[in-house]
Amino acid sequence: MLNYNKYKNLAIILFSFIQLILFFTVQATSGVSNTISSFAVVVLCCLFVILYIEKSKDYIFTQIALFCTVMADLFLVVLQPMKQLPAMIFFSITQICYFLRLFFNTKSKKEKQIHIIIRAASSFLAIILTIVVLKAKADALSLVSMFYYANLIINIVFAFIHFKSSNLLAIGLLLFLCCDTIVGINVLLDQYITSPSLQESINSILSSLNWAWIFYVPSQTLLALSLTKLNNKMSY
């Protein structure tokens, strides 16, 4: 058992080091090299958690979430032209999986009921607001994206409520939100905002660095590590 734990500790160090290298590679490269580096980030996370395979809801939901993240990035990062709608559907499944991980680790029946009510209401409200704000421009992509975004925010809220029990999960989801906020701004600029001056102003700020991946790489790394002993045992 001691040797096995040492092996896992070494795997954590190696995994974190490779992710650090990929973090800088994503920022420093372009074209095919950037695509390979970016996709490698999520694939490596998905493969890494196999080391912690076990018959538990934590593992199953996290593994499915990371696999769906890989599929989403396949449509966004690898395939050209990118296919945003299937990507957002996979990302939505990802957040549903993290919701299920949080939900089934909650012991309080009252909190579970509150969680379900808040999540259902937030998802419904996000869809209604999208239709009201975008009107004729509301489409499947915008509706799925807002459903996803609402569920990500609720996941963050409940993860931070139990921060002491699962700190890496909470921080990873928060960084996920930071990444997706930047991506969402870019989508709004490209497809929904028609003001050239506003587009130019925001693009001048975001074009200096690959801001989305500055948050995305550590986000996926921490979510993968949330199954390791670095993360406190969940006992809500």
Side-chain angles (χ1 to χ4, degrees):
M1 179 63 70
L2 181 59
N3 290 335
Y4 184 60
N5 287 334
K6 285 185 177 180
Y7 168 74
K8 280 190 172 183
N9 291 338
L10 179 61
I12 291 172
I13 295 173
L14 181 60
F15 167 70
S16 301
F17 180 69
I18 294 175
Q19 291 292 86
L20 181 62
I21 293 175
L22 289 173
F23 174 85
F24 290 107
T25 304
V26 169
Q27 295 297 321
T29 59
S30 59
V32 176
S33 297
N34 184 265
T35 299
I36 294 173
S37 299
S38 300
F39 195 55
V41 169
V42 292
V43 172
L44 184 59
C45 289
C46 189
L47 294 176
F48 171 76
V49 297
I50 294 176
L51 294 174
Y52 296 85
I53 187 170
E54 60 181 15
K55 292 182 179 180
S56 70
K57 291 182 175 68
D58 277 3
Y59 173 79
I60 292 172
F61 292 134
T62 303
Q63 181 68 85
I64 295 174
L66 291 171
F67 173 75
C68 288
T69 301
V70 170
M71 294 303 298
D73 282 324
L74 176 66
F75 286 104
L76 287 179
V77 177
V78 178
L79 298 182
Q80 295 296 329
M82 70 173 63
K83 301 182 184 299
Q84 292 176 315
L85 181 57
M88 292 312 303
I89 291 174
F90 274 112
F91 272 137
S92 295
I93 298 173
T94 293
Q95 293 309 317
I96 290 172
C97 287
Y98 287 128
F99 149 59
L100 291 173
R101 174 176 168 177
L102 290 163
F103 183 80
F104 283 108
N105 275 290
T106 302
K107 293 182 178 180
S108 169
K109 290 184 179 180
K110 183 177 181 180
E111 183 178 329
K112 283 185 175 182
Q113 292 173 346
I114 294 173
H115 190 159
I116 291 294
I117 293 171
I118 292 176
R119 186 173 297 274
S122 298
S123 299
F124 179 75
L125 182 60
I127 292 173
I128 294 301
L129 285 176
T130 303
I131 296 173
V132 171
V133 173
L134 296 182
K135 298 178 181 177
K137 290 185 178 182
D139 54 12
L141 176 60
S142 61
L143 294 174
V144 173
S145 297
M146 290 306 295
F147 170 84
Y148 156 79
Y149 205 74
N151 277 272
L152 172 55
I153 292 174
I154 299 303
N155 282 343
I156 292 170
V157 170
F158 280 92
F160 271 94
I161 287 174
H162 302 286
F163 182 79
K164 291 183 179 180
S165 301
S166 188
N167 41 43
L168 298 187
L169 178 64
I171 298 172
L173 289 171
L174 179 60
L175 292 173
F176 212 147
L177 176 66
C178 293
C179 166
D180 286 330
T181 299
I182 294 173
V183 172
I185 292 173
N186 286 327
V187 171
L188 285 173
L189 290 175
D190 292 339
Q191 300 185 26
Y192 301 104
I193 295 177
T194 57
S195 171
S197 59
L198 181 59
Q199 289 177 335
E200 184 178 352
S201 299
I202 298 177
N203 282 329
S204 64
I205 297 173
L206 298 180
S207 61
S208 58
L209 290 171
N210 193 341
W211 286 102
W213 283 81
I214 285 180
F215 296 110
Y216 194 53
V217 177
S219 164
Q220 298 310 304
T221 302
L222 291 178
L223 290 172
L225 289 172
S226 70
L227 288 177
T228 72
K229 69 177 185 179
L230 295 177
N231 194 65
N232 296 325
K233 186 176 181 181
M234 301 179 87
S235 56
Y236 306 171

